[in-house]
Amino acid sequence: MDKIKLLQSRRNEVLAAGNAVRKAIAGLVDEDSFVELAGFSFSKNDFYGEEAAGEGVVTGFATVEGNPVYVAAQNFDVLSGGVSERNCEKILKCLDLAEKNSTPVVYILNSLGVQIGEGVTVLEGIAKLLSKAAKLHGVVPQFAVVNGEVYGQSALLAACADFTFFLKNGVLAADSPLVISAKSGKNLAKEAVGGAKALDKTNLVSFEADSMAQVHETIAKIMDVLPDFSSVVVENGADLNAAFPALNQKCSADALIAAVFDKDTFVEVGKNCSEEVRCVLGRVGGISVAAIVTGGEEPVSLNENNVAKITAFTEFAAYYNLPFVSFVNAQGIRADLETQNSLVMKNIFKLFETYDLLDNAKISVIYGSAIGLGYTLLAAKSAGFDYSYAFADAKIALFDSEKGAEIEFSGEKKADKAKLAAKYSEENSDPINAAKNGYIDNIVEPQYVKQYLVASLQMLLK
């Protein structure tokens, strides 16, 4: 028997069974960089009476803009990407190597669920896999790409990942969308159940992407910011003394982000979840930074979803030793029954716990309002912020102007309510009051915010 010809035949069989998934991998990683692992791992599927070439998953290692990564890609063309015990074992080998070599992991997900016929055996395999992925959380970055339909327990890999990308055809659900829709008494398309737009309260959608090439570009940007895989300070030609006069006239969240972050260095994470909170990774004056921007035209009211989003992002910053900046335009907990009967207070306490993990520079910039809990949670010195700024037109107070006026001037005529609110705002929420007590280190013109940030980051950087 000609072993070379037999090898070629077997290789062609495996490649034919994974043509589409290998094309997806090739679009994600650097050209010709993918090296497959366990390429001839097969097992008998007794239920279907056939061998599943490649076990429904392709694994290996590659590079993304020169950065090494391990890749585990579910192969939908083999038993609909069905998860099996051997399937899980292949991915586990990748995760073991990723841990050993301190290398990021990319999951390309596309599976309709577990392979029928394995029973509890596959559940044990999934438990091992998910436990390992959980142990790697905060040890190496994990990226997930929803490359089609992902149902059942495979969806939990997306939840474990630090960043999850949804391609246009991406649908993610804990069960079949048909089952979820029917049990909800509705008749919905799968995209309306598990598409990126439908998951706007889950914090599972880090990015929406048009192609694997866009995923490649975004992963490269994130890796460039992380101190473990790039220098925390780089010379990128950014003007460290740049001023932005337009901020003195109007300081929106968009304008602030564009002014503060160096051009083409930043990405915003989780745009479609709690849009009133912005989470941004990038460089400021060449320095790696993780930043949250709360509010916009109006101060944000806190609820369980936006606080959970802040907490997850803050935790990531802590794990990877990133300087952390909080741009604040926020007030207290949203005053409604839905928020009252939610996890909001538990989530707020979790955020305070997470702050304790941050070991690098922590800076707050009050660019709008910091009212009540909005100040306590996102700007207070006693919450762990090393340096605090406030814009000259910022508002810092125990209450918003209307409530504060009602308390402060309770004996005045009700007809003067609007004037009293304005008076309270002018006299009591001026940031100079907080600065007098040492809680605000400097009151600045908005146009110079980047200069102050760069200077303080240079001093506080660890």
Side-chain angles (χ1 to χ4, degrees):
M1 180 182 293
D2 188 331
K3 293 290 187 178
I4 300 299
K5 287 185 177 179
L6 181 59
L7 172 62
Q8 291 172 344
S9 174
R10 288 169 171 169
R11 168 63 65 185
N12 289 336
E13 180 186 352
V14 171
L15 293 177
N19 182 57
V21 74
R22 285 180 174 81
K23 184 176 179 181
I25 293 171
L28 176 64
V29 304
D30 296 338
E31 186 176 2
D32 296 328
S33 69
F34 181 68
V35 178
E36 191 167 348
L37 296 169
F40 290 97
S41 173
F42 315 128
S43 69
K44 185 80 169 178
N45 186 297
D46 293 329
F47 187 85
Y48 289 102
E50 60 180 296
E51 286 188 341
E55 273 309 303
V57 65
V58 175
T59 60
F61 55 88
T63 59
V64 174
E65 293 299 314
N67 294 300
V69 297
Y70 283 94
V71 179
Q74 291 176 322
N75 184 5
F76 193 81
D77 290 337
V78 175
L79 301 178
S80 300
V83 180
S84 67
E85 183 187 28
R86 292 291 295 276
N87 181 312
C88 294
E89 287 175 356
K90 286 184 71 170
I91 301 175
L92 272 167
K93 287 180 181 178
C94 255
L95 299 190
D96 287 337
L97 289 168
E99 181 179 30
K100 180 180 179 180
N101 300 316
S102 299
T103 302
V105 179
V106 182
Y107 307 103
I108 300 178
L109 305 177
N110 193 1
S111 171
L112 295 187
V114 299
Q115 288 187 24
I116 298 173
E118 289 206 355
V120 176
T121 301
V122 67
L123 299 181
E124 286 288 345
I126 292 172
K128 289 178 186 176
L129 173 57
L130 295 176
S131 295
K132 185 65 176 182
K135 288 176 182 176
L136 287 185
H137 186 61
V139 177
V140 298
Q142 297 180 72
F143 303 90
V145 183
V146 180
N147 185 36
E149 297 172 83
V150 183
Y151 306 148
Q153 295 186 45
S154 288
L156 292 172
L157 285 173
C160 183
D162 298 293
F163 304 99
T164 300
F165 298 81
F166 274 64
L167 294 181
K168 287 181 177 179
N169 61 337
V171 179
L172 186 81
D175 205 329
S176 164
L178 289 174
V179 173
I180 294 172
S181 181
K183 289 196 173 184
S184 302
K186 297 181 180 181
N187 182 20
L188 300 173
K190 59 187 178 183
E191 294 81 7
V193 176
K197 297 292 190 293
L199 300 176
D200 60 343
K201 292 182 174 61
T202 65
N203 202 27
L204 286 171
V205 186
S206 304
F207 304 99
E208 294 180 65
D210 294 328
S211 65
M212 283 295 187
Q214 190 176 349
V215 176
H216 171 107
E217 180 183 352
T218 305
I219 289 177
K221 276 190 173 184
I222 292 171
M223 297 284 285
D224 181 66
V225 172
L226 301 183
D228 287 352
F229 306 97
S230 182
S231 176
V232 69
V233 183
V234 299
E235 177 54 60
N236 61 5
D239 184 355
L240 306 187
N241 295 307
F244 301 89
L247 294 182
N248 279 7
Q249 306 304 316
K250 183 179 181 181
C251 186
S252 66
D254 283 329
L256 187 62
I257 292 169
V260 166
F261 283 92
D262 303 342
K263 187 178 180 182
D264 297 327
T265 69
F266 65 91
V267 294
E268 183 179 345
V269 182
K271 284 184 180 181
N272 81 329
C273 176
S274 299
E275 296 177 348
E276 68 277 13
V277 170
R278 316 280 290 273
C279 297
V280 185
L281 287 171
R283 291 187 180 272
V284 177
I287 301 172
S288 295
V289 166
I292 58 168
V293 184
T294 54
E297 296 296 324
E298 299 292 333
V300 64
S301 295
L302 302 173
N303 61 43
E304 66 171 323
N305 294 320
N306 56 37
V307 175
K309 180 179 180 179
I310 295 170
T311 302
F313 189 71
T314 304
E315 183 180 63
F316 179 83
Y319 283 148
Y320 294 98
N321 199 32
L322 286 163
F324 182 78
V325 181
S326 172
F327 293 99
V328 185
N329 186 14
Q331 49 193 5
I333 295 173
R334 182 179 297 164
D336 59 31
L337 288 174
E338 181 182 359
T339 305
Q340 164 65 16
N341 187 27
S342 75
L343 292 172
V344 63
M345 287 185 274
K346 282 285 190 180
N347 288 354
I348 287 168
F349 182 71
K350 177 64 176 177
L351 179 53
F352 275 115
E353 285 184 313
T354 305
Y355 280 155
D356 197 47
L357 301 175
L358 287 167
D359 195 40
N360 212 314
K362 297 181 285 293
I363 301 168
S364 65
V365 179
I366 302 170
Y367 78 97
S369 296
I371 307 297
L373 183 61
Y375 174 86
T376 304
L377 186 63
L378 302 171
K381 288 277 192 180
S382 298
F385 288 94
D386 302 300
Y387 212 91
S388 299
Y389 296 104
F391 285 2
D393 55 354
K395 296 180 179 180
I396 304 172
L398 183 60
F399 304 108
D400 62 31
S401 57
E402 184 174 323
K403 186 185 294 183
E406 289 178 355
I407 295 171
E408 184 79 9
F409 307 113
S410 58
E412 302 285 346
K413 295 179 180 178
K414 295 295 181 182
D416 297 325
K417 187 175 181 178
K419 290 182 179 179
L420 295 177
K423 181 180 179 182
Y424 176 86
S425 179
E426 182 69 27
E427 295 179 0
N428 293 275
S429 63
D430 190 319
I432 196 68
N433 295 318
K436 285 178 180 178
N437 293 318
Y439 302 132
I440 298 297
D441 293 297
N442 216 326
I443 301 173
V444 303
E445 285 188 48
Q447 66 172 324
Y448 300 125
V449 61
K450 185 168 184 175
Q451 296 178 23
Y452 282 95
L453 274 177
V454 171
S456 52
L457 284 167
Q458 288 174 339
M459 290 299 298
L460 295 168
L461 196 63
K462 294 182 181 179

